[in-house]
Amino acid sequence: MVGAHYDTVKGVQGVDDNGSGVGVILEAIESFQHKKMPYTLTFVFFGAEEIGTKGSEYYTSQMTPKEIQNTVAMVNLDSLIAGDKMYVYGDEGEDGWVRDQALDLAKKKKLNVETNPGLNPEYPKGSTGDWSDHAAFKKLGIPFAYFEATNWALGDQDGYVQTEKHGAIWHNPEKDSLNFIRSQFPGRMEERLHTFSILLIELLTHIKEPKK
Protein backbone atom coordinates (compact mmCIF):
# COMPACT_ATOMS: atom_id res chain seq x y z
CA MET A 1 0.00 0.00 0.00
CA VAL A 2 1.25 3.47 -0.92
CA GLY A 3 -0.27 6.62 0.52
CA ALA A 4 0.07 10.40 0.43
CA HIS A 5 -2.16 13.14 1.76
CA TYR A 6 -3.56 15.62 -0.75
CA ASP A 7 -4.70 18.34 1.67
CA THR A 8 -2.61 21.29 2.74
CA VAL A 9 -2.74 24.00 5.39
CA LYS A 10 -5.27 26.72 4.60
CA GLY A 11 -3.76 29.53 2.55
CA VAL A 12 -0.68 27.53 1.53
CA GLN A 13 -0.03 26.17 -1.97
CA GLY A 14 1.40 23.00 -0.48
CA VAL A 15 3.82 22.23 -3.30
CA ASP A 16 6.16 20.47 -0.89
CA ASP A 17 3.56 19.44 1.70
CA ASN A 18 2.14 17.52 -0.01
CA GLY A 19 1.86 18.07 -3.74
CA SER A 20 5.23 16.33 -3.96
CA GLY A 21 3.90 13.10 -2.45
CA VAL A 22 0.87 13.13 -4.72
CA GLY A 23 3.12 13.64 -7.75
CA VAL A 24 5.33 10.68 -6.91
CA ILE A 25 2.30 8.44 -6.35
CA LEU A 26 0.93 9.41 -9.77
CA GLU A 27 4.28 8.56 -11.35
CA ALA A 28 4.22 5.14 -9.69
CA ILE A 29 0.64 4.49 -10.80
CA GLU A 30 1.60 5.21 -14.39
CA SER A 31 4.67 2.98 -14.14
CA PHE A 32 2.72 -0.03 -12.84
CA GLN A 33 -0.36 0.47 -14.98
CA HIS A 34 0.41 -2.40 -17.35
CA LYS A 35 2.75 -4.52 -15.20
CA LYS A 36 1.73 -7.85 -13.72
CA MET A 37 2.69 -8.02 -10.06
CA PRO A 38 2.77 -10.97 -7.64
CA TYR A 39 0.69 -8.98 -5.17
CA THR A 40 -1.96 -6.26 -5.14
CA LEU A 41 -0.83 -2.63 -5.21
CA THR A 42 -3.15 -0.19 -3.49
CA PHE A 43 -2.63 3.56 -3.88
CA VAL A 44 -4.47 5.80 -1.43
CA PHE A 45 -4.84 9.59 -1.35
CA PHE A 46 -5.65 10.69 2.19
CA GLY A 47 -7.53 13.81 3.18
CA ALA A 48 -7.43 15.67 6.50
CA GLU A 49 -3.81 14.87 7.35
CA GLU A 50 -3.10 18.43 8.38
CA ILE A 51 -5.78 18.37 11.08
CA GLY A 52 -4.44 15.27 12.76
CA THR A 53 -4.09 12.43 10.22
CA LYS A 54 -7.87 12.01 10.23
CA GLY A 55 -8.01 10.55 6.72
CA SER A 56 -5.56 7.72 7.31
CA GLU A 57 -7.03 6.99 10.73
CA TYR A 58 -10.48 6.63 9.18
CA TYR A 59 -9.09 4.45 6.39
CA THR A 60 -7.40 2.04 8.80
CA SER A 61 -10.51 1.94 11.01
CA GLN A 62 -12.40 0.49 8.02
CA MET A 63 -9.84 -2.24 7.30
CA THR A 64 -10.97 -5.78 8.09
CA PRO A 65 -8.74 -8.12 10.13
CA LYS A 66 -8.02 -10.03 6.92
CA GLU A 67 -6.97 -6.86 5.09
CA ILE A 68 -4.68 -5.90 7.97
CA GLN A 69 -3.11 -9.36 8.04
CA ASN A 70 -2.62 -9.41 4.27
CA THR A 71 -1.02 -5.95 4.04
CA VAL A 72 2.69 -6.60 3.61
CA ALA A 73 3.74 -2.98 4.04
CA MET A 74 2.69 0.65 3.78
CA VAL A 75 4.82 3.33 2.10
CA ASN A 76 4.05 6.92 3.10
CA LEU A 77 5.11 9.90 0.95
CA ASP A 78 5.11 13.32 2.62
CA SER A 79 7.05 16.53 1.86
CA LEU A 80 9.60 15.24 -0.63
CA ILE A 81 11.21 18.22 -2.37
CA ALA A 82 12.22 21.16 -0.16
CA GLY A 83 14.44 19.62 2.52
CA ASP A 84 18.23 19.58 2.30
CA LYS A 85 18.44 15.79 2.38
CA MET A 86 16.35 12.82 1.29
CA TYR A 87 15.37 10.23 3.89
CA VAL A 88 13.49 6.98 4.35
CA TYR A 89 12.35 5.91 7.81
CA GLY A 90 10.72 2.85 9.33
CA ASP A 91 10.04 0.93 12.50
CA GLU A 92 12.83 0.41 15.01
CA GLY A 93 15.04 -2.67 14.91
CA GLU A 94 14.15 -5.69 12.77
CA ASP A 95 10.64 -4.31 12.28
CA GLY A 96 12.23 -1.65 10.06
CA TRP A 97 12.85 -4.12 7.23
CA VAL A 98 10.93 -2.04 4.66
CA ARG A 99 13.19 0.94 5.34
CA ASP A 100 16.27 -1.28 5.20
CA GLN A 101 15.27 -2.74 1.86
CA ALA A 102 14.68 0.77 0.52
CA LEU A 103 18.12 1.85 1.73
CA ASP A 104 19.73 -1.18 0.08
CA LEU A 105 18.00 -0.36 -3.20
CA ALA A 106 19.05 3.28 -2.93
CA LYS A 107 22.66 2.17 -2.51
CA LYS A 108 22.48 -0.18 -5.50
CA LYS A 109 20.90 2.52 -7.67
CA LYS A 110 23.29 5.19 -6.33
CA LEU A 111 20.43 7.32 -5.06
CA ASN A 112 21.28 9.97 -2.48
CA VAL A 113 18.82 8.73 0.15
CA GLU A 114 19.71 8.10 3.80
CA THR A 115 17.88 7.70 7.11
CA ASN A 116 17.53 9.63 10.35
CA PRO A 117 21.01 9.42 11.93
CA GLY A 118 19.63 9.26 15.47
CA LEU A 119 21.17 12.50 16.76
CA ASN A 120 18.10 13.03 18.94
CA PRO A 121 17.61 10.13 21.39
CA GLU A 122 13.84 10.66 21.23
CA TYR A 123 13.99 9.50 17.60
CA PRO A 124 16.38 6.53 17.36
CA LYS A 125 18.35 5.95 14.20
CA GLY A 126 16.13 5.01 11.27
CA SER A 127 12.87 6.03 12.96
CA THR A 128 10.66 9.12 12.93
CA GLY A 129 7.70 10.60 14.77
CA ASP A 130 4.07 9.57 14.46
CA TRP A 131 3.00 12.81 12.76
CA SER A 132 2.08 11.62 9.28
CA ASP A 133 -0.17 9.02 7.66
CA HIS A 134 2.14 6.08 8.36
CA ALA A 135 1.24 6.30 12.06
CA ALA A 136 -2.25 4.82 11.65
CA PHE A 137 -0.79 1.75 9.93
CA LYS A 138 2.00 1.47 12.46
CA LYS A 139 -0.64 1.25 15.21
CA LEU A 140 -2.06 -1.82 13.46
CA GLY A 141 1.35 -3.48 13.34
CA ILE A 142 1.75 -2.98 9.59
CA PRO A 143 5.41 -2.45 8.61
CA PHE A 144 6.07 0.89 6.94
CA ALA A 145 8.54 3.04 5.08
CA TYR A 146 8.22 6.82 5.10
CA PHE A 147 9.88 8.99 2.44
CA GLU A 148 10.64 12.61 3.34
CA ALA A 149 13.05 15.48 2.58
CA THR A 150 14.25 17.49 5.57
CA ASN A 151 17.43 17.97 7.65
CA TRP A 152 17.79 16.12 10.95
CA ALA A 153 20.97 17.99 11.86
CA LEU A 154 19.17 21.33 12.31
CA GLY A 155 17.15 22.90 15.12
CA ASP A 156 16.08 20.44 17.79
CA GLN A 157 17.26 17.58 15.57
CA ASP A 158 13.69 16.33 15.23
CA GLY A 159 13.36 16.71 11.46
CA TYR A 160 11.15 19.78 11.67
CA VAL A 161 13.67 22.33 10.30
CA GLN A 162 14.05 21.29 6.68
CA THR A 163 16.69 23.64 5.29
CA GLU A 164 19.79 25.54 6.36
CA LYS A 165 18.94 28.40 4.01
CA HIS A 166 15.30 29.05 4.88
CA GLY A 167 14.41 26.89 7.89
CA ALA A 168 11.07 25.10 7.75
CA ILE A 169 9.25 25.25 4.42
CA TRP A 170 6.04 23.39 5.18
CA HIS A 171 2.94 25.30 6.38
CA ASN A 172 4.49 28.61 5.30
CA PRO A 173 2.38 30.57 2.75
CA GLU A 174 5.43 32.24 1.20
CA LYS A 175 7.90 29.36 1.26
CA ASP A 176 5.77 26.34 0.34
CA SER A 177 5.04 27.68 -3.13
CA LEU A 178 6.21 26.78 -6.61
CA ASN A 179 7.96 30.09 -7.29
CA PHE A 180 9.80 30.18 -3.95
CA ILE A 181 11.09 26.62 -4.09
CA ARG A 182 12.18 26.90 -7.71
CA SER A 183 13.94 30.25 -7.19
CA GLN A 184 15.63 29.42 -3.88
CA PHE A 185 16.50 25.77 -4.58
CA PRO A 186 17.14 25.51 -8.35
CA GLY A 187 16.93 21.93 -9.60
CA ARG A 188 16.01 20.51 -6.20
CA MET A 189 12.40 19.80 -7.12
CA GLU A 190 13.30 17.87 -10.25
CA GLU A 191 16.07 15.91 -8.51
CA ARG A 192 13.90 14.90 -5.55
CA LEU A 193 10.86 13.89 -7.57
CA HIS A 194 13.06 11.85 -9.89
CA THR A 195 14.97 10.16 -7.04
CA PHE A 196 11.97 9.31 -4.89
CA SER A 197 10.02 8.06 -7.91
CA ILE A 198 12.82 5.68 -8.84
CA LEU A 199 13.18 4.47 -5.26
CA LEU A 200 9.45 3.91 -4.81
CA ILE A 201 9.14 1.97 -8.07
CA GLU A 202 12.20 -0.14 -7.23
CA LEU A 203 10.89 -0.86 -3.73
CA LEU A 204 7.45 -1.89 -4.96
CA THR A 205 9.03 -4.08 -7.62
CA HIS A 206 11.53 -5.87 -5.38
CA ILE A 207 10.02 -5.77 -1.89
CA LYS A 208 10.33 -9.09 -0.11
CA GLU A 209 8.66 -9.85 3.18
CA PRO A 210 11.10 -11.48 5.64
CA LYS A 211 10.49 -15.09 6.57
CA LYS A 212 8.87 -15.40 9.98
Side-chain angles (χ1 to χ4, degrees):
M1 181 176 293
V2 185
H5 73 89
Y6 61 83
D7 63 314
T8 185
V9 172
K10 186 177 181 180
V12 181
Q13 280 188 18
V15 173
D16 181 46
D17 185 14
N18 188 32
S20 61
V22 171
V24 171
I25 275 197
L26 293 174
E27 183 71 18
I29 290 173
E30 185 175 2
S31 176
F32 287 102
Q33 192 171 6
H34 302 295
K35 290 183 180 178
K36 290 185 178 180
M37 301 295 290
Y39 51 84
T40 301
L41 282 175
T42 301
F43 297 94
V44 186
F45 298 91
F46 300 113
E49 190 269 355
E50 296 293 3
I51 58 172
T53 63
K54 299 298 184 183
S56 52
E57 287 181 8
Y58 177 78
Y59 185 93
T60 54
S61 75
Q62 302 303 300
M63 294 177 71
T64 65
K66 186 176 180 180
E67 287 173 332
I68 295 169
Q69 183 180 1
N70 288 343
T71 302
V72 173
M74 187 271 181
V75 182
N76 181 46
L77 311 173
D78 195 354
S79 303
L80 304 180
I81 56 177
D84 290 333
K85 299 179 181 181
M86 292 177 281
Y87 298 95
V88 56
Y89 320 120
D91 288 308
E92 294 182 45
E94 293 183 358
D95 292 335
W97 63 267
V98 190
R99 173 204 58 231
D100 293 342
Q101 288 188 20
L103 287 170
D104 287 343
L105 288 166
K107 186 176 181 180
K108 289 177 182 177
K109 290 292 180 178
K110 298 182 179 180
L111 303 175
N112 191 23
V113 179
E114 55 193 276
T115 194
N116 165 22
L119 300 173
N120 186 333
E122 292 185 20
Y123 306 101
K125 184 177 180 180
S127 71
T128 188
D130 292 338
W131 43 60
S132 189
D133 290 311
H134 66 287
F137 295 85
K138 179 182 175 182
K139 287 178 184 177
L140 296 179
I142 296 172
F144 74 92
Y146 172 7
F147 293 6
E148 181 185 55
T150 186
N151 191 332
W152 282 83
L154 303 177
D156 294 331
Q157 298 177 329
D158 57 3
Y160 186 81
V161 181
Q162 295 165 278
T163 71
E164 288 188 27
K165 189 175 182 181
H166 291 291
I169 303 300
W170 39 43
H171 302 177
N172 187 296
E174 176 190 355
K175 296 177 185 178
D176 195 358
S177 66
L178 192 62
N179 288 338
F180 184 88
I181 293 172
R182 278 184 166 168
S183 65
Q184 297 301 310
F185 306 104
R188 183 171 288 191
M189 183 181 300
E190 293 78 7
E191 178 209 10
R192 302 301 163 74
L193 293 176
H194 178 71
T195 299
F196 278 126
S197 294
I198 291 175
L199 184 56
L200 177 61
I201 291 166
E202 287 292 317
L203 179 60
L204 297 179
T205 301
H206 299 290
I207 192 168
K208 188 174 182 181
E209 189 176 13
K211 293 180 180 180
K212 297 179 180 179

